[in-house]
Amino acid sequence: MKKIDLKNKNFTMKIIAAFFAFIMWTYVMSEVNPRIVKQIPNVKVEILNEESLERNNLTLMDISDDTITVEVRGRRNDVINIKPSDITAKIDLKGYRAGINKVPIKISDLYNAEIVDSSPELLTVNIDKLIEKQMPISVELIGEPIDGYAAGEIDVNPSEVLVKGPRSIVNNVDKVRANVNIDGIQNDIKTTVPMKLLNGDGEEISRLEKDPNTVNVEVSILKLKEVNVEPVIKGNPLVNHEITNIEIEPKKVTIKGREDVLEGVETIKTKPIDISYESDDLDKQVELDLPEGIHLVGDKELKINVKISKNEKNKLEFEKSDIKAKNMDEGLKFKLAESEDDKGISISITALEDIMKDLGKNDFELFIDLKDISEGEHTVDIEVKTPEGVILESIDPKSLKIVVEVKDESEVEGEGEGSEDNNTQDENTEQ
C-alpha cells in the first residue's frame, strides 16, 4: 500500500482546496438554497375503510374537516414546488363505533422534505347506526272535486313503507306523505305517486332510502247532500218529569255517498240519547248513526239540548155561579135545583212547572152543555176548558142538578132588543 506523504506539497494543496470547496458549498446551500419551513393548506384527507362501517350497520354522518394544513421543512428548491396534491393524508375508520370519534391523521413521508406538523392533527367524525323503520303512508289530497262532489274513501297500497338510513335521521321522520291531485274531477281516480319523508315541521328529509319508492292510491269521488238531523231519545225522565223541548245544533248536516245510496235519504238519525231518570236539562255532544256507505262531511260537533220539566199538581176553587151554559135553546133558561147546596166546585190539575207558575182561575172556563135539553129538572155534567199543556185530573162535584124553564115573554123581547142572533147562548147559573 502506498503511503501518503503529508510533506508532499501537492497533497497539502488538495486538502486546502477541498476545505475551501466545502466552505463554499455550505455558503451556497445556506444562502442560495437554504432550508425553509412551508405551510401547505387545503391538503385533501382520504377516508379509509368507510365500507367497513357499512358492514357493521354504521355510516359516516359528518367529519369536522376534509382538508388540513401541513407544515413541511426542506431545501428551498425542493419545498417551494410542493403542492397539496403531492401530500397524502389519510384517516382510517376501521374499528370505530357509533358516536363522536377523534381520529388521527396519518401523513405519508416526502422524499425531498420533512413533515413537521399538521393542523389539525385529529379529525372529529360522527358515526351513526343504520336502522330500518316501517312507517304508515298518509295521503294528502290537493285541490277540490267539482261542485256538489267530495273525496270519499282513500285506498293506499302498500299502506306502509320501509325507511332506511342513519338512526338520527330516520327517527326524525314524522310522517310519510303521498300527494294526490283531485282538483276539478268528478270520477274515481287511480294513480301511482312518489312519497315524501317529512319532519315535524313539514320539511322534506333527504339522505334516506325508501322501499318502495312509489305508492298506488285510489280515491273515490262521492255526491254531496244536505239532510236534516233527527234526534233519537231513549228512556224516560224521572217520575213526574217530562221532555218539553228538544233542540239539536246543527239542524242540518252535509253527507256524502254514492248517488244510488243517497237517493231517498232525507234525514240522518243520531245514536240513541239516553235520558232515563233525568230530572234536569240535558246538554251533550251526540254522534250520528250513519248508514253503511254514507259519510259525514266536515268535523262539526253535534250538540243536543233536551229540556226536562217537572209536573206539578194544583187545586183551584170555583163558585157555581162561575159555570156557564152552552148550546141552550134561546127560549129556555136554567137555574140550580133547590137540592144543590152552596158548596163550590174544586178542580185538580197537573201541568209543567213553567206553565203552572203563570196559571190563574181566569185561564179556565167551567160550563154545562145544554144542547137538546128540555124543560124540567136535569142532572148535567160539569165540563172544564183548560189551557194548552194543562191536564184536568178531577172535578168535584162532577155534575149539577138544574131546572130548565121556559122564558117569559118579557125576557125574550128584552134579549132580542139587546143582542144579535147567534147559535150559541152563554148564561150564568141562576142561584
Side-chain angles (χ1 to χ4, degrees):
M1 181 177 181
K2 188 177 179 179
K3 292 182 180 179
I4 298 174
D5 187 359
L6 297 177
K7 295 180 180 180
N8 188 305
K9 197 177 208 179
N10 290 334
F11 178 76
T12 302
M13 292 301 293
K14 289 179 180 178
I15 292 297
I16 292 170
F19 173 76
F20 280 104
F22 175 75
I23 295 298
M24 185 61 70
W25 178 84
T26 302
Y27 169 77
V28 170
M29 292 301 291
S30 61
E31 297 298 328
V32 179
N33 188 25
R35 292 178 67 83
I36 63 172
V37 175
K38 180 183 178 183
Q39 287 189 340
I40 303 173
N42 300 319
V43 176
K44 189 74 175 175
V45 178
E46 183 183 352
I47 300 173
L48 301 180
N49 289 312
E50 191 171 357
E51 67 279 359
S52 71
L53 296 178
E54 295 179 7
R55 287 195 294 269
N56 292 302
N57 286 325
L58 300 171
T59 186
L60 176 62
M61 291 292 294
D62 189 30
I63 187 168
S64 59
D65 239 321
D66 59 354
T67 62
I68 60 172
T69 297
V70 178
E71 193 174 274
V72 298
R73 181 167 55 202
R75 293 298 172 185
R76 183 178 183 279
N77 288 347
D78 294 328
V79 169
I80 198 68
N81 293 320
I82 295 177
K83 303 184 295 295
S85 57
D86 296 328
I87 301 175
T88 302
K90 301 177 181 179
I91 59 170
D92 191 347
L93 299 183
K94 187 175 183 180
Y96 285 93
R97 297 182 179 180
I100 304 298
N101 298 272
K102 300 286 187 180
V103 182
I105 304 167
K106 295 180 181 179
I107 303 173
S108 302
D109 292 336
L110 298 172
Y111 76 92
N112 56 353
E114 174 189 357
I115 303 297
V116 179
D117 196 7
S118 68
S119 178
E121 295 181 345
L122 300 171
L123 288 184
T124 302
V125 296
N126 180 11
I127 298 174
D128 201 357
K129 189 171 181 61
L130 290 172
I131 64 169
E132 297 179 349
K133 190 175 182 181
Q134 201 81 18
M135 298 192 70
I137 302 169
S138 63
V139 174
E140 181 170 329
L141 302 179
I142 308 299
E144 295 290 339
I146 65 171
D147 288 344
Y149 289 83
E153 293 182 354
I154 301 173
D155 183 53
V156 182
N157 186 27
S159 60
E160 293 185 334
V161 62
L162 186 65
V163 180
K164 308 175 186 177
R167 175 170 52 193
S168 58
I169 301 180
V170 171
N171 288 338
N172 200 34
V173 178
D174 182 62
K175 65 173 65 174
V176 182
R177 191 177 71 196
N179 293 338
V180 177
N181 189 352
I182 60 169
D183 198 41
I185 66 173
Q186 182 178 349
N187 300 314
D188 296 350
I189 184 172
K190 295 182 180 181
T191 185
T192 300
V193 292
M195 294 167 283
K196 292 182 179 180
L197 306 179
L198 305 177
N199 63 18
D201 296 325
E203 300 167 337
E204 188 171 2
I205 297 175
S206 56
R207 198 179 169 180
L208 295 176
E209 296 179 33
K210 302 185 292 287
D211 184 21
N213 286 312
T214 59
V215 62
N216 300 317
V217 181
E218 295 183 21
V219 183
S220 61
I221 304 300
L222 304 177
K223 180 76 174 172
L224 296 176
K225 187 174 184 179
E226 189 178 61
V227 295
N228 295 317
V229 179
E230 180 183 336
V232 176
I233 303 299
K234 172 186 174 184
N236 295 300
L238 197 65
V239 175
N240 291 328
H241 289 72
E242 288 185 19
I243 296 173
T244 58
N245 190 41
I246 298 174
E247 288 188 1
I248 193 160
E249 186 63 37
K251 295 177 176 61
K252 293 178 178 287
V253 294
T254 301
I255 57 175
K256 59 185 178 181
R258 299 290 182 189
E259 290 193 45
D260 58 333
V261 176
L262 292 183
E263 189 176 353
V265 177
E266 301 301 331
T267 62
I268 293 292
K269 294 182 178 180
T270 65
K271 291 185 177 179
I273 302 150
D274 193 353
I275 62 160
S276 297
Y277 305 108
E278 293 285 349
S279 59
D280 297 319
D281 294 350
L282 186 67
D283 286 288
K284 65 184 300 184
Q285 291 183 8
V286 293
E287 296 180 9
L288 292 177
D289 190 10
L290 295 169
E292 187 175 354
I294 293 179
H295 310 273
L296 182 65
V297 176
D299 54 359
K300 287 185 179 178
E301 292 182 345
L302 272 79
K303 294 183 178 180
I304 192 168
N305 172 262
V306 182
K307 194 164 187 62
I308 298 174
S309 295
K310 183 180 181 181
N311 276 320
E312 291 187 345
K313 295 184 181 297
N314 196 10
K315 185 176 284 189
L316 298 175
E317 301 293 336
F318 294 85
E319 300 295 330
K320 288 178 179 175
S321 59
D322 295 327
I323 299 174
K324 294 181 179 181
K326 287 190 176 183
N327 301 317
M328 186 170 62
D329 188 280
E330 292 180 1
L332 299 177
K333 63 179 180 179
F334 81 95
K335 63 180 180 179
L336 294 177
E338 292 181 1
S339 59
E340 283 291 338
D341 55 28
D342 294 332
K343 182 181 176 183
I345 299 169
S346 174
I347 64 170
S348 296
I349 57 171
T350 299
L352 297 172
E353 55 187 343
D354 291 343
I355 298 174
M356 187 70 79
K357 66 183 181 181
D358 297 323
L359 287 178
K361 288 176 61 175
N362 292 335
D363 297 309
F364 297 83
E365 183 182 359
L366 276 65
F367 64 93
I368 53 177
D369 190 351
L370 301 183
K371 185 179 181 180
D372 299 329
I373 203 162
S374 59
E375 270 186 272
E377 187 171 310
H378 302 274
T379 300
V380 293
D381 292 333
I382 302 171
E383 299 185 43
V384 180
K385 183 179 179 181
T386 61
E388 186 177 354
V390 177
I391 300 172
L392 179 65
E393 298 288 351
S394 66
I395 181 168
D396 183 30
K398 294 182 179 181
S399 61
L400 285 177
K401 287 183 179 180
I402 63 171
V403 177
V404 178
E405 300 174 338
V406 176
K407 292 179 181 178
D408 58 34
E409 237 178 80
S410 61
E411 289 176 316
V412 174
E413 288 176 0
E415 288 177 1
E417 292 174 359
S419 62
E420 296 182 357
D421 293 339
N422 66 72
N423 296 326
T424 303
Q425 179 182 1
D426 289 345
E427 292 188 4
N428 283 38
T429 308
E430 295 180 7
Q431 298 296 328

